[in-house]
Amino acid sequence: MSERILSISGLRGVVGNGLTPDYLTRFAAAVGTIANKGTVVLSRDGRASGEMVRHAVIAGLISTGCRVVDAGIATTPTCGVLVTHLNAAGGIQITASHNPIPWNGLKPFSAEGSVYNREQGEQLLDVLNNEKFNYVPWDELGTLEVYDNAAGPHIVRVLELVDVEQIQQRKFKVVLDCNHGSGGVATPQLLEALGCEVIVLGETPDGQFEHTPEPLKENLTGLSEAVVQHKADAGFAQDPDADRLAIVDETGRYIGEELTLALGADYVLARTPGPIVVNGSTSRVTADIAAKYNCPFFRSYVGEAHVCAKMKQETAIIGGEGNGGVIDPKVGYVRDSYVSMAYVLAGLAASGQTLSAWADSLPQYSIVKNKITCPREQVDDACKALESHFDDATASSGDGLRLDWDDRWVQVRASNTEPIIRVIAEAPQQKEAETLCNKAMEIVEKAVG
């Protein structure tokens, strides 16, 4: 059985077992068909398999008459920025995000510089599955060119968000963990432009991860130790394609991915009140922050495409997901670790406080995340069992199942990118969240077992 996950959000698979050159070329040809002989930006996250994938993708795009602008190794948000900067018809980021080394994938972008929405994703699947490729004759084939300094336009947009001089005056010391992902290419450049002294871990973008790539607490002990050792003001950890950011404070404490969006929202909404959109798996601390500044608060289904669609619908000024993904429309409708870092440093510079003090000043919740390997077709059984057991909760369905009480919640849903069920619970205290999550896991395992 091949290990390949195909959805409206893109493609992921194990290289050589589901993710093969012929399938990659067909997927790219589908994107090229939709781009209709226009310009397509191409970049990749540094994985060892990226060069093979790149060649297959280029073949598919050129075969449909597209002009391919190859940005080399670059972050996912950089790819989105370049699409709009070059007025391109679309883009493809070669990445498997936080998946293990054997995986890779393709993440397509629309002309708006954001991931495909549902309609665009369904169009892509129709072209791909029904082989409606618009292959062109030899004299109409596309072209390939290289784009130097791909991160330049991206960094310019991020610096325009904040008071650069005020940040520079603080002379922050930052430890950056790129973990051999695409963040190593230009993130130090951004931080140095903000006047930071930067200590980089895993700078070479070769995909040879030094630790499990998802930026969770258990995977970032090295970063925490380095922050203490270097007496740094903050530690920043990116996932391999650098659209997500996890944070360690100056004491070496992991304050996580959930607070990345919360800190960004606290900084932005205090200065520019407006609507905020987060997904249904994000901590309620963002809702509390929105209420603090009397700002409209909205939840979307999980998934970057859903968040972006809701943000556009509500004209949100900031949004994102609790996995460390902050989205600012002024830079692009894509999760962006650069935006997150800029807002955190700007908040520290403006207030003069430490990162630990700022994090501790926010409403306090404990969130626990777990997962169970499970076929997608059994997710409904898990949801029904959970709703039946917790019949005193307010249930919200449509994106798995979310159950809310006055001060806590639990959610069960199928992952968009892996053959698993995610179980997430949040409560005021860690033990309460763990108890709720463990009970939900027990019910789900019994239902799908």
Side-chain angles (χ1 to χ4, degrees):
M1 181 179 175
S2 65
E3 293 192 64
R4 183 169 67 218
I5 300 171
L6 179 66
S7 72
I8 63 168
S9 302
L11 169 69
R12 288 190 198 180
V14 173
V15 174
N17 181 21
L19 208 69
T20 55
D22 60 324
Y23 196 85
L24 289 162
T25 300
R26 289 170 57 210
F27 187 99
V31 174
T33 297
I34 293 171
N36 194 26
K37 301 182 182 179
T39 297
V40 178
V41 175
L42 176 65
S43 55
R44 60 190 180 94
D45 73 4
R47 287 172 183 264
S49 59
E51 196 62 36
M52 180 279 287
V53 177
R54 169 181 170 270
H55 282 283
V57 169
I58 289 171
L61 293 174
I62 289 180
S63 72
T64 54
C66 292
R67 170 192 175 225
V68 182
V69 176
D70 185 358
I73 298 176
T75 72
T76 290
T78 294
C79 183
V81 168
L82 284 181
V83 170
T84 54
H85 181 72
L86 299 173
N87 294 313
I92 295 178
Q93 173 78 1
I94 299 170
T95 181
S97 187
H98 63 273
N99 286 52
I101 289 177
W103 289 71
N104 214 326
L106 302 179
K107 187 171 187 173
F109 285 85
S110 70
E112 295 177 308
S114 60
V115 295
Y116 277 15
N117 60 28
R118 179 170 294 280
E119 182 181 352
Q120 292 161 336
E122 289 174 350
Q123 181 187 2
L124 172 68
L125 295 180
D126 179 55
V127 173
L128 176 62
N129 294 330
N130 295 299
E131 300 189 352
K132 298 178 180 178
F133 308 116
N134 183 28
Y135 291 126
V136 300
W138 69 272
D139 56 349
E140 294 179 25
L141 291 172
T143 58
L144 173 66
E145 60 191 77
V146 174
Y147 192 95
D148 294 323
N149 188 26
H154 184 191
I155 290 174
V156 167
R157 290 191 192 181
V158 173
L159 294 179
E160 289 174 347
L161 298 175
V162 295
D163 186 336
V164 173
E165 185 177 346
Q166 187 179 55
I167 298 172
Q168 289 173 337
Q169 289 173 350
R170 284 292 303 271
K171 298 180 179 178
F172 291 115
K173 182 185 288 188
V174 174
V175 180
L176 172 68
D177 183 3
C178 303
N179 196 25
H180 295 272
S182 61
V185 173
T187 312
Q189 180 184 338
L190 168 70
L191 293 171
E192 287 163 5
L194 291 169
C196 297
E197 177 185 344
V198 189
I199 298 98
V200 186
L201 310 179
E203 184 171 14
T204 305
D206 55 13
Q208 300 303 310
F209 309 135
E210 291 183 17
H211 58 75
T212 303
E214 191 161 11
L216 305 176
K217 180 178 182 179
E218 57 268 27
N219 302 330
L220 299 179
T221 54
L223 174 61
S224 294
E225 291 168 0
V227 168
V228 174
Q229 176 189 342
H230 292 282
K231 298 181 180 179
D233 297 288
F236 293 141
Q238 297 169 308
D239 67 335
D241 65 324
D243 61 347
R244 294 166 54 184
L245 184 76
I247 303 175
V248 169
D249 70 19
E250 80 283 357
T251 71
R253 177 183 60 164
Y254 175 86
I255 63 173
E257 298 177 295
E258 286 291 339
L259 285 191
T260 302
L261 177 56
L263 293 169
D266 194 41
Y267 175 81
V268 171
L269 298 183
R271 290 157 179 79
T272 314
I276 177 173
V277 173
V278 305
N279 71 24
S281 296
T282 297
S283 171
R284 65 173 51 192
V285 65
T286 52
D288 292 346
I289 290 169
K292 173 183 173 183
Y293 298 113
N294 296 312
C295 294
F297 175 82
F298 303 94
R299 288 193 184 274
S300 74
Y301 284 0
V302 173
E304 190 175 0
H306 296 300
V307 176
C308 290
K310 188 72 172 178
M311 287 180 68
K312 292 171 185 176
Q313 178 185 329
E314 304 297 344
T315 321
I317 61 169
I318 191 170
E321 302 189 283
N323 60 7
V326 176
I327 302 169
D328 191 308
K330 292 187 289 297
V331 176
Y333 279 103
V334 59
R335 295 179 308 212
D336 193 339
S337 65
Y338 287 14
V339 169
S340 304
M341 285 183 252
Y343 279 147
V344 168
L345 293 173
L348 293 175
S351 67
Q353 62 185 332
T354 62
L355 184 49
S356 61
W358 187 9
D360 288 343
S361 73
L362 299 178
Q364 300 296 305
Y365 297 99
S366 290
I367 192 164
V368 177
K369 303 179 182 183
N370 215 324
K371 56 188 177 183
I372 302 170
T373 300
C374 175
R376 294 184 70 90
E377 56 268 20
Q378 288 188 273
V379 175
D380 284 347
D381 294 334
C383 292
K384 289 175 183 175
L386 205 63
E387 186 172 6
S388 175
H389 181 86
F390 292 115
D391 57 4
D392 60 332
T394 301
S396 304
S397 58
D399 186 25
L401 177 72
R402 178 176 164 126
L403 299 172
D404 277 276
W405 294 267
D406 288 342
D407 64 346
R408 66 200 65 202
W409 58 271
V410 65
Q411 184 191 49
V412 173
R413 57 176 297 278
S415 168
N416 293 327
T417 56
E418 300 174 75
I420 60 173
I421 287 179
R422 296 194 184 278
V423 181
I424 304 174
E426 185 176 50
Q429 302 296 327
Q430 179 73 16
K431 187 170 183 179
E432 295 169 332
E434 289 174 354
T435 300
L436 182 56
C437 186
N438 290 340
K439 185 62 180 179
M441 288 278 291
E442 177 187 321
I443 295 166
V444 169
E445 286 174 336
K446 185 176 180 180
V448 303

